Amino acid sequence: MTSARHDRGDSWHGELLDLDAYLERLGHTGERAPTLACLRALHRAHTTSIPFENVSAVLGVPLPLDVESVQDKLVRRARGGYCYEHVTLFAAALEKLGFRFTAHTGRVSLGADKILPATHALLTVTPSDDDRTWLCDVGFGGGPLEPVELADGAEAEADGWRFRVERRPDAQGFEHWWLHQYGAGGWLDRHTFTLTPQYPIDYEVGSHFVGTHPRSPFVKRLIAQRFSAARHHQIDGLTWSTTLPDGTRTEQKIEPEDLQRVLREEFGIDLDPEVVSRLKARSDAP
């Protein structure tokens, strides 16, 4: 009799994912194979179908990262999540489809002149029909629409959204990769990461900090994002901004009584009135 495989902690538990339900959530009806074409289609569908939101963290609700909990929230209940939830779900799907990939942790920079904590989740993936490695960043909330080749100087453009990857050593000579995004002010470094493998337990540690630490911005106010080929919507507190692929940005204040409608109609996040009331109280606080 063959014994069950011992879980060393390096599995993303794709066997627990309801793949049909996940692909239906994405609207993906194409091939189910570990190819580059499938990876591109899944990446685009995931980033444009499942919104980014931190409602649970703001309200102090636990954020478990096991596959069953994540798919219940993001797939069955049609909610959104932040990067650790998105990447846990995407990794489970890639594993079930037979892709070879590695999880990583990045540091969001956005032009900052200091080192920020490593609290962003992302993947590098090698399809079965392509020798190149591709950066998949489905959990940032603002694209890219499709994977970006992991090669120094590689640029990618999809529907006007432009990204560039760079590799450079730090002061000690360690290799770091950078993802840049093009906007109204030119190229802006978005985050940096190394190729050190990360595992589910590492994401649990990072998620605990992001979702509970008093200095984390994700526990202080509502942050929601909806990304598409045409535009990037973002709510920060009660400020709603819209950015176009060329970097053009508009901003407006959301009246508290309109928050539930805006979240539902513009972001695809349908919340109970009581939850929205608690969010408004937190988002409007100084």
Side-chain angles (χ1 to χ4, degrees), residues 26-57:
L26 302 190
H28 176 81
T29 58
E31 68 172 335
R32 302 184 180 192
T35 64
L36 179 56
C38 182
L39 182 67
R40 282 178 168 149
L42 290 176
H43 196 293
R44 177 181 282 256
H46 187 114
T47 56
T48 57
S49 299
I50 305 180
F52 180 105
E53 50 105 329
N54 68 330
V55 172
S56 295

Side-chain angles (χ1 to χ4, degrees), residues 53-73:
E53 50 105 329
N54 68 330
V55 172
S56 295
V58 173
L59 300 183
V61 177
L63 285 159
L65 288 184
D66 60 283
V67 171
E68 178 56 36
S69 296
V70 172
Q71 72 175 334
D72 179 64
K73 181 184 177 189

Side-chain angles (χ1 to χ4, degrees), residues 74-149:
L74 275 63
V75 177
R76 298 193 188 104
R77 293 191 283 135
R79 282 275 304 277
Y82 62 18
C83 66
Y84 290 109
E85 296 169 289
H86 278 273
V87 174
T88 294
L89 183 64
F90 197 66
L94 294 186
E95 187 176 83
K96 191 156 190 173
L97 290 167
F99 281 95
R100 291 185 294 125
F101 64 90
T102 304
H104 308 285
T105 297
R107 301 178 187 274
V108 175
S109 52
L110 297 176
D113 60 356
K114 62 180 180 180
I115 296 175
L116 297 173
T119 55
H120 182 54
L122 58 158
L123 304 172
T124 55
V125 186
T126 304
S128 61
D129 62 343
D130 191 283
D131 292 334
R132 293 170 293 179
T133 298
W134 297 83
L135 173 63
C136 290
D137 191 9
V138 300
F140 196 84
L145 279 170
E146 298 180 0
V148 182
E149 183 183 357

Side-chain angles (χ1 to χ4, degrees), residues 188-239:
L188 175 69
D189 52 279
R190 199 168 82 171
H191 53 257
T192 178
F193 60 98
T194 69
L195 297 184
T196 304
Q198 300 288 289
Y199 302 100
I201 188 62
D202 299 310
Y203 279 7
E204 287 185 24
V205 172
S207 180
H208 179 70
F209 172 84
V210 173
T212 66
H213 197 281
R215 290 181 58 188
S216 169
F218 291 98
V219 305
K220 297 178 180 179
R221 64 192 186 280
L222 172 66
I223 299 174
Q225 300 183 75
R226 189 70 185 263
F227 185 68
S228 71
R231 58 186 54 83
H232 173 214
H233 288 305
Q234 179 170 351
I235 289 176
D236 188 337
L238 290 174
T239 299

